[in-house]
Amino acid sequence: MLNTNLEQYTIADFIDWHSQGRLTLNPHFQRNSVWTPAARTYLIDTILNDFPIPKIYIRSKIDLATKKSIREVVDGQQRLRTILDFAADKFALTKRSDTFVGSKYSTLSEDLQGQFLRYNLSVDHLMGATDSDVLEVFARLNSYGVKLNAAERRHAEFQGDFKWTVIAQSKKWDKIWSDFGLLTTTRRLRMEDYSLIAECMLILLDGVSDGGQDIITKRYKHYDSAIPEKEKVIEAFDDAMEVITENLPEAVVGPIANPPHFLMLFAAVAHARSGIPKGQLIGDQWAPHTKKLKISADAATSALLSLAEAIEYGTENEDLEPFVEASVSTTHRIASRRVRFPFYYAAVTAAV
């Protein structure tokens, strides 16, 4: 029977074992280090802010030649390699760390250095485990795991500028989750908030276009290395969110507090304020942006609440019937968005 012990060791312990040659980071069932500078920074920033990280799996073996115990990392190599490299001053933190950007271990204050070295790593210690035992452990762990959704797969696959910008904007505009209840905590734990923020970013980059998880993933890949005119895009994003949260909070209720409709509200406000590309809109569904419009909070809120009421209860207004029909169809498809966007734009620009 396999014996396992859940233990805690400090980062200083791992540094000591590594310096003595008593820590093996790359046994044959581990991948080589492939983390990007952004991912490495995010891990160190997590540690310096004293947030938890996933536990590490190790097993001990006796080196018969040296008569010493060797700790072999069976899962967590990339985390430990990052930690050890940072402690050895091999890299500085990138802008993915708001607080510690540019820092190396040697440039941290003594208090922070001590906090870093004392940070506890949770370790599942596999006692006397064979390779077969290790494979069995991971097979069983994986069998109980929840299948990753599209947002979680993107978070794991991409490490470029677009992903980290999405994360930063989701954090910056945390109030939309608490104030409007756009997503439940469970859905946010599954990273669905990143999907919505990504789609808002893509509205600014590509305009109103066809949606769906596969398309979002393709655009993540397209913008992975760099976001064109990034500062301008973030400025437009922040401006639209500020208008929605400060001027239109009473309108984000009922169906408009659901992601598909909030996205079209965001698109309408963004176009009124900063302009968005035409995307896949056709005919008079989109008009070129000429100037930043000052949105009337009262008029826009009243018009938006009328749209929300029509979605929720139906309408006898023939002019609104196409909007209602499009609102209950597959809302991420361009056919639905082409109908709904002009209605949202007319609402937010009411009395302008």
Side-chain angles (χ1 to χ4, degrees), residues 53-262:
I53 67 173
K55 66 182 177 180
I56 291 164
Y57 287 79
I58 65 174
R59 67 174 172 182
S60 293
K61 286 186 168 183
I62 301 298
D63 186 323
L64 297 179
T66 63
K67 303 180 180 67
K68 292 181 178 179
S69 174
I70 302 296
R71 291 170 174 85
E72 189 176 68
V73 181
V74 298
D75 187 64
Q77 176 215 150
Q78 295 179 62
R79 274 165 278 155
L80 283 175
R81 191 181 296 278
T82 295
I83 289 167
L84 294 170
D85 283 352
F86 182 73
D89 254 15
K90 291 185 178 180
F91 69 94
L93 302 184
T94 71
K95 60 184 178 181
R96 295 305 166 213
S97 171
D98 294 334
T99 306
F100 305 107
V101 57
S103 296
K104 289 187 171 183
Y105 172 80
S106 62
T107 64
L108 296 175
S109 68
E110 289 188 359
D111 285 345
L112 277 173
Q113 288 179 351
Q115 177 182 318
F116 177 78
L117 295 175
R118 290 190 297 270
Y119 182 90
N120 282 314
L121 299 171
S122 294
V123 175
D124 228 342
H125 200 161
L126 311 179
M127 310 297 292
T130 65
D131 282 2
S132 295
D133 291 332
V134 171
L135 293 173
E136 177 72 11
V137 166
F138 287 110
R140 289 174 179 269
L141 287 173
N142 291 333
S143 71
Y144 295 112
V146 176
K147 183 178 180 181
L148 297 181
N149 62 27
E152 291 164 329
R153 290 196 299 272
R154 286 192 292 269
H155 185 74
E157 178 180 355
F158 297 103
Q159 300 295 337
D161 201 26
F162 189 78
K163 165 190 166 173
W164 295 105
T165 302
V166 165
I167 291 173
Q169 292 301 99
S170 181
K171 181 179 179 181
K172 181 189 294 186
W173 291 100
D174 184 75
K175 66 184 300 181
I176 69 172
W177 316 117
S178 58
D179 290 2
F180 301 146
L182 290 172
L183 293 168
T184 64
T185 300
T186 300
R187 292 179 70 182
R188 290 191 67 196
L189 287 171
R190 300 299 308 275
M191 300 185 179
E192 291 185 36
D193 49 342
Y194 294 168
S195 284
L196 180 56
I197 295 297
E199 288 205 273
C200 290
M201 293 285 295
L202 292 173
I203 289 286
L204 296 168
L205 291 163
D206 301 334
V208 176
S209 303
D210 206 11
Q213 295 301 323
D214 288 346
I215 290 176
I216 297 173
T217 299
K218 289 178 181 177
R219 303 318 287 165
Y220 258 79
K221 184 175 182 179
H222 181 76
Y223 293 116
D224 190 48
S225 59
I227 299 172
E229 299 186 278
K230 177 179 175 180
E231 291 184 3
K232 182 179 177 180
V233 170
I234 291 177
E235 182 181 350
F237 184 102
D238 290 343
D239 179 77
M241 284 296 187
E242 183 175 349
V243 168
I244 293 170
T245 57
E246 298 299 325
N247 294 4
L248 306 174
E250 295 178 4
V252 188
V253 295
I256 297 180
N258 288 326
H261 294 290
F262 182 85

Side-chain angles (χ1 to χ4, degrees), residues 260-280:
H261 294 290
F262 182 85
L263 180 64
M264 287 300 97
L265 171 61
F266 175 89
V269 172
H271 191 47
R273 298 288 292 172
S274 306
I276 62 174
K278 186 174 183 179
Q280 294 177 328

